[in-house]
């Protein structure tokens, strides 16, 4: 069996289809732990786990012990041997992960054993000994999953896909807000969605921005979305108050994602100015909004405060400050200094 996807592995496990050996490794622990927990949950019947299930942690493991357990016959149909945190075994013994390669041989492997090896990496590049083991596992029909951290620009899409898998819908603003607060840690994203389920009494069908604000820990006032809304409504007092807070915490409120949030907003307003006399469905299609309500709240009200020429000039400003924030062609300034300068120019354009 070739390298598989997380979704396909979970689907097979749920259908009680198991491989004789799994190698789960990488920098994203969520996928590794989730698959391992699912196998542990369903592979061996509850009343047989005491005899046919061995969960060994790397800090207590030796290569000899794990292979010995894997070679034993079960008291029943099959046996599960799972090595969690395998990277810790290498720290506490002289054993290395490629020591499992000799086990990856049809003449050696115990057909009734499911061997699961979980190895977590601190950095993206896997050591050669691990990739050699991955090749050996695949040659004997085993499952290999390289669990990679998602990139920042993939977080919102991952949130949308995950909540859909839970039969929950989510507003676009709520997904962006959750991504801003949680970051790229998938385990924290999943925990946050579970927290929202609890807040809804276990019957959560739709996630709104207000629900995220109220339960995940974002300040209702001091977040990127309230900041955008304050700018679009030219609320000078609120804008200055939020800028002051953002400037005091540049790590959490860097100017780059703020610009990325403002740019499409002003682009929509500029588009609206040139198509506002068209039929409503054509306006919605051109601007990229789904309903008259969202058009009013996100675009047309702001168009009362910014005319087409102002929007065009602000878009040029945002492009310029995006380059400045990345150190291109300008003396280096802090994120907070650039933000204060940019906001002053927007509010006075």
């Amino acid at each position: 069996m070739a390298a598989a996807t997380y979704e396909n592995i979970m689907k097979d496990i749920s259908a009680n289809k198991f491989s004789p050996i799994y190698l789960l490794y990488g920098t994203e622990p969520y996928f590794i732990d989730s698959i391992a927990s699912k196998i542990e949950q369903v592979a061996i019947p509850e009343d047989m786990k005491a005899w046919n299930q061995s969960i060994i942690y790397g800090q207590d493991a030796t290569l000899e012990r794990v292979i010995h357990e894997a070679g034993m016959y079960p008291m029943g149909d099959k046996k599960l041997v799972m090595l969690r945190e395998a990277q810790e075994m290498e720290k506490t013994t002289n054993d290395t992960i490629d020591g499992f390669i000799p086990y990856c041989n049809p003449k050696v492997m115990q057909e009734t054993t499911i061997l699961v090896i979980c190895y977590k990496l601190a950095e993206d590049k896997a050591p050669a000994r691990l990739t050699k083991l991955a090749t050996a596992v695949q040659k004997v029909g085993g499952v290999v999953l390289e669990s990679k951290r998602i990139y920042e620009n993939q977080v919102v899409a991952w949130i949308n896909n995950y909540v859909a898998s839970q039969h929950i819908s989510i507003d676009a603003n709520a997904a962006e807000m959750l991504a801003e607060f949680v970051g790229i840690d998938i385990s924290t994203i999943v925990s946050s969605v579970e927290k929202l389920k609890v807040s809804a009494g276990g019957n959560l069908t739709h996630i709104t921005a207000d629900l995220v604000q109220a339960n995940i820990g974002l300040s209702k006032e001091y977040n990127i979305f309230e900041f955008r809304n304050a700018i679009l409504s030219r609320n000078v007092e609120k804008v200055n108050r939020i800028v002051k807070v953002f400037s005091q915490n540049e790590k959490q409120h860097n100017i780059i994602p703020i610009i990325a949030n403002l740019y499409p907003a002003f682009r929509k307003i500029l588009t609206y100015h040139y198509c506002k006399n068209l039929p409503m469905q054509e306006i919605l299609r051109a601007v990229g909004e789904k309903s008259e309500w969202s058009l009013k709240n996100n675009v047309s009200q702001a168009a009362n405060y910014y005319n087409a020429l102002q929007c065009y000039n602000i878009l040029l400003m945002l492009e310029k400050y995006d380059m400045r924030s990345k150190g291109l062609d300008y003396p280096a300034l802090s994120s907070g200094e650039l933000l204060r300068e940019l906001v002053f120019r927007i509010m006075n354009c």
Side-chain angles (χ1 to χ4, degrees):
M1 186 182 295
T5 65
Y6 169 78
E7 291 77 14
N8 286 341
I9 295 171
M10 292 294 278
K11 183 178 179 180
D12 284 345
I13 295 169
S14 296
N16 216 32
K17 298 178 182 178
F18 297 100
S19 168
I21 181 168
Y22 293 80
L23 175 61
L24 314 173
Y25 74 95
T27 53
E28 177 48 64
Y30 172 78
F31 300 116
I32 296 171
D33 291 338
S34 182
I35 292 172
S37 296
K38 186 69 173 179
I39 294 174
E40 185 177 342
Q41 177 187 350
V42 304
I44 307 299
E46 198 64 39
D47 59 348
M48 296 298 292
K49 286 184 178 180
W51 291 274
N52 290 334
Q53 181 168 289
S54 297
I55 310 299
I56 307 169
Y57 285 83
Q59 61 185 15
D60 303 317
T62 64
L63 190 64
E64 182 182 6
R65 177 187 172 188
V66 178
I67 292 178
H68 174 74
E69 290 277 358
M72 295 178 64
Y73 287 96
M75 292 180 61
D77 294 333
K78 57 181 175 289
K79 178 181 179 68
L80 171 63
V81 178
M82 183 178 294
L83 175 59
R84 286 185 176 267
E85 311 294 340
Q87 72 282 356
E88 297 299 322
M89 181 185 73
E90 295 188 326
K91 297 177 183 178
T92 57
T93 70
N94 292 323
D95 296 333
T96 56
I97 199 69
D98 54 353
F100 285 105
I101 290 177
Y103 179 81
C104 299
N105 183 327
K107 296 179 180 179
V108 176
M109 294 169 60
Q110 178 57 258
E111 292 182 359
T112 52
T113 294
I114 302 168
L115 174 61
V116 182
I117 302 170
C118 306
Y119 193 108
K120 297 174 183 175
L121 294 168
E123 53 188 36
D124 290 334
K125 188 174 177 59
R129 61 187 182 277
L130 190 56
T131 55
K132 288 179 182 178
L133 175 59
T135 300
V137 168
Q138 290 176 329
K139 284 183 177 179
V140 291
V143 170
V144 174
L145 177 76
E146 183 178 2
S147 179
K148 296 182 178 180
R149 288 192 183 278
I150 60 175
Y151 294 108
E152 192 169 322
N153 63 357
Q154 298 173 319
V155 175
V156 172
W158 196 91
I159 290 172
N160 286 325
N161 290 335
Y162 176 73
V163 297
S165 74
Q166 303 296 302
H167 307 292
I168 301 168
S169 58
I170 185 169
D171 289 340
N173 280 0
E176 292 176 9
M177 191 174 292
L178 191 57
E180 181 204 358
F181 179 68
V182 175
I184 65 172
D185 189 289
I186 291 181
S187 296
T188 307
I189 293 172
V190 173
S191 297
S192 297
V193 174
E194 291 302 313
K195 184 176 180 180
L196 294 176
K197 288 181 181 179
V198 171
S199 72
N203 187 29
L204 181 64
T205 58
H206 184 69
I207 299 174
T208 64
D210 286 341
L211 189 65
V212 174
Q213 286 178 332
N215 293 279
I216 302 304
L218 278 171
S219 163
K220 185 172 177 59
E221 183 171 23
Y222 300 118
N223 66 69
I224 196 170
F225 305 100
E226 288 298 316
F227 179 56
R228 180 187 63 194
N229 292 339
I231 285 181
L232 295 185
S233 61
R234 283 196 182 272
N235 187 333
V236 177
E237 181 183 352
K238 187 172 183 179
V239 166
N240 289 336
R241 190 163 61 245
I242 297 176
V243 166
K244 182 178 179 181
V245 173
F246 281 9
S247 299
Q248 292 171 344
N249 191 349
E250 295 180 2
K251 185 175 181 181
Q252 184 175 354
H253 301 290
N254 188 274
I255 190 174
I256 294 175
I258 293 173
I259 291 173
N261 191 263
L262 290 175
Y263 193 91
F266 279 101
R267 186 175 56 197
K268 285 185 177 185
I269 300 167
L270 178 60
T271 303
Y272 175 77
H273 277 296
Y274 288 102
C275 69
K276 59 186 176 183
N277 295 322
L278 296 175
M280 180 54 65
Q281 288 304 314
E282 292 186 31
I283 296 174
L284 293 174
R285 191 180 305 113
V287 173
E289 293 292 335
K290 295 182 179 179
S291 67
E292 292 185 40
W293 180 88
S294 65
L295 178 71
K296 178 182 177 182
N297 281 274
N298 297 329
V299 183
S300 62
Q301 287 182 341
N304 295 324
Y305 297 101
Y306 297 93
N307 61 38
L309 180 59
Q310 288 171 322
C311 289
Y312 177 77
N313 288 332
I314 289 170
L315 289 171
L316 293 179
M317 281 184 221
L318 291 169
E319 291 177 355
K320 177 180 178 180
Y321 277 82
D322 182 59
M323 290 191 294
R324 292 185 66 181
S325 69
K326 296 167 182 173
L328 300 176
D329 301 326
Y330 293 95
L333 289 177
S334 71
S335 175
E337 290 172 320
L338 285 173
L339 181 61
R340 286 193 294 270
E341 188 178 305
L342 171 62
V343 169
F344 177 81
R345 294 188 63 185
I346 290 176
M347 301 303 287
N348 290 278
C349 70

